[in-house]
Amino acid sequence: LIVDKAGSKRLKNFLNIINLQNERVRRLNAKDNTRANASLEEHLEIIECIRNRDKEGSISALKKHLESGERTALQLVEFGFR
C-alpha cells in the first residue's frame, strides 16, 4: 500500500523483483526439510510470544527468524540455487 501510494513505478518494479526472489528462496527452502522444520519452530516461537504479549520476546524471535532466513538465502546464492 505504501509503495502504491508513493506513485513510483520504479520503486514498485524494484519491490516486485525482491518479492519474486524471496518467493524463489521460499520454494527452494521448502525442499529442505531441516530448514522447513526450523522455520516452523521459529514461527511457533513468534506466535507463542505474541500470545503471551511478550513484546521483547516477539521482537527477538522475529529477528532470529529473519536472520536465519537471510543466512539460508545467502547460502543459496553462494553455493548456487539447487
Side-chain angles (χ1 to χ4, degrees), residues 44-63:
L44 293 174
E45 182 180 359
I46 294 165
I47 292 167
E48 185 67 24
C49 289
I50 291 170
R51 283 185 177 152
N52 291 332
R53 299 181 187 277
D54 179 358
K55 180 181 175 183
E56 294 305 316
S58 298
I59 292 169
S60 176
L62 180 57
K63 282 182 180 179

Side-chain angles (χ1 to χ4, degrees), residues 32-50:
D32 178 1
N33 287 335
T34 302
R35 178 63 198 132
N37 290 335
S39 182
L40 174 61
E41 290 299 319
E42 292 163 4
H43 284 140
L44 293 174
E45 182 180 359
I46 294 165
I47 292 167
E48 185 67 24
C49 289
I50 291 170

